[in-house]
Amino acid sequence: MRLTILGCYAATPRTLTNPTAQVLEINGHIILIDCGEGTQVELRRRKIKFSRINHIFISHLHGDHFFGLPGLISTMRLLGREKELHVYGPKGIKEAITLLLKLGDSWTNYPLLFHELASKEPELVFEDKKISVTTIPLDHRIYTNGFLFKEKEGKRKLNIDAAQNYGIDKAYYQNIKNGKDITLDNGETILNKELTFDPPKPKSYAFCSDTVYDTNLSEQLKGVDVLYHESTFLESEAELATKTKHSTALQAAKIAKAANVKTLVLGHYSTRYKSIELFKEEATTIFSNVLLADDGRAFDF
Amino acid sequence: MRLTILGCYAATPRTLTNPTAQVLEINGHIILIDCGEGTQVELRRRKIKFSRINHIFISHLHGDHFFGLPGLISTMRLLGREKELHVYGPKGIKEAITLLLKLGDSWTNYPLLFHELASKEPELVFEDKKISVTTIPLDHRIYTNGFLFKEKEGKRKLNIDAAQNYGIDKAYYQNIKNGKDITLDNGETILNKELTFDPPKPKSYAFCSDTVYDTNLSEQLKGVDVLYHESTFLESEAELATKTKHSTALQAAKIAKAANVKTLVLGHYSTRYKSIELFKEEATTIFSNVLLADDGRAFDF
């Protein structure tokens, strides 16, 4: 699982800071999460092929999280895209994008499929053999969802040494990989688990931005491997955080601790602070495994 | 008069090329012309204060000419703008921007005034004591206007030597600057033109992008000081230019020659060519005074 931060600063794009957008590579999928202005340029800068992105998840309709989407959708048309693009986001996103394309007489020549979200309860919005994606309802100034991405458990791996020890012919290896038990010539049945290794433990990633500090979140986030939780402010601006429905680094750490996640990634920083290291310092006072998102930074989990 | 090119490449923003946006400083006004994605970052990079921009002119509603506008308008709100912003552009622009602001519950707290254009004839869309702005109807795939910016003639300048020679008291200098004749104590009347210099000749700038080659244009462009005419292609792609309703560098030069402009600025280049110098080479075969726009380049006229 690889997370590439295209942008992780609050509010407006600047010469040195990009608004929110990130790419999650998970079990063969390449997923774009949020799409602030300039995202298509950052995708190019990070050499991520537009054609490999089939799913885009938009948390909410503030400009710093989706004003790059019309441009990206238009560019995909210019690049000759033919396959489906799925966009998940708050109700209204379809009307907005459709209007912009209509005004430019620039309909996509690929299927552009919107999945509009309106529920205030978590809902499964995508699932295939590899992953599932569930919304994480967040409390922000407008309707907002985080997203919980979970790998599905993979197939068990063949234990070649064990198979050879039992004298099993290679012709049966595919059956073993498919989970079948094997009956030897002598009639003895060897259970599949004797012939295979456990598959890698499925990984999970939760994206939570933008949100006020909400202790209820920890329930749905219980045990996730990686939690990206916004930390627009430090505790010195805790009041401002509450007022604008954002969180502080300390609050993000409290959520991470209560949910017992493995790794906390901080981001969505206000540009008022001298250094983003201050966010890490604050969070690590109560949760040890903290990573700092930064534009262009990639993490492998 | 100063023209700063923020972006001048066709189609989509890339890591090294920006879509169309330019800033015209003319007789005290700072005007933004077109606003492709990423324009707000380029404005910051060029150190042009957002607060000095009061008028934005949008040629047409293709993404590479206006997808940066919602973000710029939102940022002006975050910066605490209070004064009016005037946006001139094709019918539909108001609905699009309004919808985006509504979805984000992000109404501007400054007056945002749209002047929607629908006429296919040139019309005067802005005028004050300093400048006038007239549309230049263009023939592109969707409804498109160029814009003709003209300085108004300034006040005549006081000729101090002449005033002193006639023994005129300084108390009358303001009257002279205001264009009045002066009657001396001996009853003799000195005409204002004897006491003043001609004001600087008013300058004019015509922005024409995007457009097919249209010989009718030269009539309205007759004698302008500076013509920015799109040159998406070279003559080798003349057919493609016609089909997509764009122009070649040679065609832009033909318009410049027919209109007898002083300077031709080329831009809106397709990124298929190795060097933009090729555009200049082609245009100068029939018109000598050719400048090449490039991102970040500024011209003083």
Side-chain angles (χ1 to χ4, degrees):
Chain A
M1 188 167 77
R2 165 170 266 237
L3 178 67
T4 303
I5 307 297
L6 303 176
C8 66
Y9 287 82
T12 68
R14 290 160 185 254
T15 48
L16 295 175
T17 63
N18 300 316
T20 302
Q22 46 185 252
V23 173
L24 179 68
E25 300 179 48
I26 180 169
N27 232 354
H29 281 285
I30 298 210
I31 287 165
L32 179 64
I33 306 168
D34 278 352
C35 190
E37 186 176 348
T39 294
Q40 56 176 318
V41 173
E42 292 307 312
L43 283 169
R44 282 188 158 131
R45 189 165 280 142
R46 307 304 157 201
K47 302 197 189 309
I48 295 165
K49 285 196 177 156
F50 294 16
S51 59
R52 293 199 58 201
I53 297 170
N54 299 321
H55 301 272
I56 300 176
F57 292 85
I58 301 293
S59 63
H60 65 301
L61 300 183
H62 278 152
D64 57 327
H65 292 255
F66 101 110
F67 280 173
L69 188 57
L72 178 61
I73 285 171
S74 300
T75 297
M76 283 175 166
R77 178 179 63 85
L78 293 174
L79 294 174
R81 184 185 182 102
E82 292 182 352
K83 63 181 172 170
E84 291 178 352
L85 179 69
H86 295 266
V87 176
Y88 304 77
K91 191 162 163 47
I93 194 169
K94 180 176 179 177
E95 184 189 358
I97 299 294
T98 305
L99 175 60
L100 291 174
L101 298 180
K102 188 184 101 183
L103 288 173
D105 198 10
S106 305
W107 301 107
T108 60
N109 36 17
Y110 59 87
L112 177 60
L113 303 165
F114 290 95
H115 305 268
E116 293 200 309
L117 309 174
S119 173
K120 295 193 169 178
E121 299 297 321
E123 52 178 351
L124 180 73
V125 290
F126 175 75
E127 185 171 33
D128 67 1
K129 287 177 183 172
K130 302 281 190 121
I131 63 166
S132 69
V133 187
T134 309
T135 58
I136 306 170
L138 299 175
D139 181 8
H140 189 45
R141 300 197 302 277
I142 58 172
Y143 177 75
T144 303
N145 287 295
F147 299 100
L148 177 57
F149 303 86
K150 282 185 172 177
E151 290 182 347
K152 296 254 177 103
E153 191 159 278
K155 284 185 178 177
R156 300 183 65 80
K157 305 281 180 197
L158 177 66
N159 179 343
I160 292 184
D161 288 344
Q164 285 176 341
N165 284 346
Y166 284 109
I168 297 170
D169 191 89
K170 283 181 184 167
Y172 295 96
Y173 283 5
Q174 194 55 49
N175 280 351
I176 296 172
K177 288 180 190 167
N178 288 339
K180 299 226 168 106
D181 301 333
I182 298 294
T183 303
L184 303 180
D185 292 345
N186 65 7
E188 187 188 354
T189 294
I190 312 297
L191 293 178
N192 185 267
K193 68 176 182 179
E194 302 282 328
L195 300 167
T196 52
F197 297 114
D198 289 345
K201 196 172 169 300
K203 292 195 173 114
S204 54
Y205 173 66
F207 171 85
C208 294
S209 183
D210 299 357
T211 183
V212 75
Y213 174 51
D214 178 3
T215 54
N216 295 325
L217 270 184
S218 56
E219 184 61 32
Q220 198 189 347
L221 301 175
K222 201 67 95 186
V224 303
D225 290 283
V226 183
L227 166 63
Y228 177 96
H229 193 292
E230 73 129 286
S231 57
T232 308
F233 298 108
L234 297 175
E235 273 296 298
S236 45
E237 280 67 46
E239 256 184 63
L240 187 56
T242 306
K243 190 180 156 202
T244 58
K245 296 218 172 186
H246 284 299
S247 305
T248 69
L250 193 79
Q251 290 167 343
K254 283 181 183 171
I255 298 289
K257 189 178 184 184
N260 196 27
V261 307
K262 287 207 184 73
T263 304
L264 169 64
V265 181
L266 295 178
H268 202 265
Y269 317 110
S270 162
T271 51
R272 75 185 58 209
Y273 303 104
K274 270 187 198 153
S275 161
I276 60 172
E277 292 297 329
L278 299 170
F279 291 87
K280 186 169 179 175
E281 280 171 26
E282 183 171 291
T284 48
T285 58
I286 63 160
F287 185 84
S288 60
N289 195 13
V290 175
L291 298 174
L292 289 175
D294 205 358
D295 297 2
R297 204 170 272 184
F299 304 101
D300 289 299
F301 300 105
Chain B
M1 189 167 74
R2 166 171 264 236
L3 178 68
T4 303
I5 308 296
L6 304 177
C8 66
Y9 287 82
T12 69
R14 292 160 184 253
T15 49
L16 295 176
T17 62
N18 300 318
T20 301
Q22 46 186 250
V23 172
L24 179 68
E25 299 177 48
I26 180 169
N27 232 354
H29 281 284
I30 299 211
I31 286 165
L32 179 64
I33 306 168
D34 280 352
C35 190
E37 187 177 346
T39 294
Q40 58 176 315
V41 174
E42 292 308 312
L43 283 169
R44 283 187 156 133
R45 190 164 281 141
R46 306 304 159 203
K47 304 199 190 307
I48 295 164
K49 286 198 177 155
F50 293 18
S51 59
R52 294 199 58 200
I53 298 170
N54 299 321
H55 301 272
I56 300 176
F57 292 84
I58 302 292
S59 63
H60 64 302
L61 300 182
H62 279 151
D64 57 327
H65 293 255
F66 101 110
F67 279 174
L69 187 58
L72 178 61
I73 285 172
S74 300
T75 297
M76 284 174 166
R77 178 179 63 84
L78 293 174
L79 294 174
R81 184 186 182 99
E82 291 181 353
K83 61 180 173 171
E84 292 179 351
L85 179 70
H86 295 266
V87 177
Y88 304 77
K91 193 163 159 47
I93 194 169
K94 180 177 180 177
E95 183 189 358
I97 299 294
T98 305
L99 176 60
L100 292 173
L101 297 181
K102 187 184 103 181
L103 288 173
D105 199 11
S106 306
W107 301 107
T108 60
N109 35 17
Y110 58 88
L112 177 60
L113 302 166
F114 290 95
H115 306 266
E116 293 200 311
L117 309 175
S119 173
K120 295 192 170 177
E121 300 297 324
E123 50 177 352
L124 179 73
V125 290
F126 175 75
E127 185 172 32
D128 67 0
K129 287 177 183 171
K130 303 281 192 126
I131 63 166
S132 69
V133 187
T134 309
T135 59
I136 305 170
L138 299 176
D139 181 9
H140 189 44
R141 301 197 301 278
I142 57 173
Y143 177 75
T144 304
N145 287 296
F147 299 99
L148 177 57
F149 302 86
K150 282 186 173 174
E151 290 181 346
K152 296 252 176 104
E153 190 159 280
K155 284 186 178 175
R156 301 184 65 80
K157 305 280 182 203
L158 176 67
N159 181 343
I160 291 183
D161 288 345
Q164 286 176 343
N165 284 346
Y166 284 109
I168 297 171
D169 191 88
K170 282 181 184 168
Y172 296 96
Y173 283 8
Q174 193 56 49
N175 280 351
I176 296 172
K177 287 181 191 168
N178 288 340
K180 299 224 168 105
D181 300 335
I182 299 292
T183 303
L184 302 180
D185 292 344
N186 65 7
E188 185 187 356
T189 293
I190 313 297
L191 293 178
N192 186 266
K193 69 175 181 181
E194 303 282 330
L195 301 167
T196 53
F197 297 114
D198 290 345
K201 196 172 170 300
K203 292 193 173 119
S204 54
Y205 173 66
F207 171 84
C208 294
S209 183
D210 299 357
T211 183
V212 77
Y213 175 51
D214 177 4
T215 54
N216 295 324
L217 270 184
S218 55
E219 184 60 31
Q220 198 188 346
L221 301 175
K222 200 68 91 186
V224 304
D225 290 284
V226 182
L227 166 64
Y228 177 95
H229 193 292
E230 75 128 291
S231 58
T232 308
F233 298 108
L234 297 175
E235 273 296 299
S236 46
E237 280 69 44
E239 256 184 64
L240 187 56
T242 306
K243 190 179 155 201
T244 58
K245 296 218 171 186
H246 284 298
S247 304
T248 69
L250 194 79
Q251 290 166 344
K254 283 181 182 170
I255 298 290
K257 190 176 183 183
N260 196 26
V261 306
K262 287 207 184 72
T263 304
L264 170 65
V265 181
L266 295 176
H268 201 265
Y269 317 111
S270 162
T271 52
R272 75 186 56 210
Y273 303 104
K274 270 188 199 150
S275 162
I276 59 173
E277 292 297 329
L278 300 169
F279 291 86
K280 186 169 180 175
E281 281 172 24
E282 184 172 292
T284 47
T285 58
I286 63 160
F287 185 83
S288 61
N289 195 12
V290 175
L291 297 174
L292 289 175
D294 205 357
D295 297 1
R297 205 170 272 184
F299 304 101
D300 289 299
F301 300 106

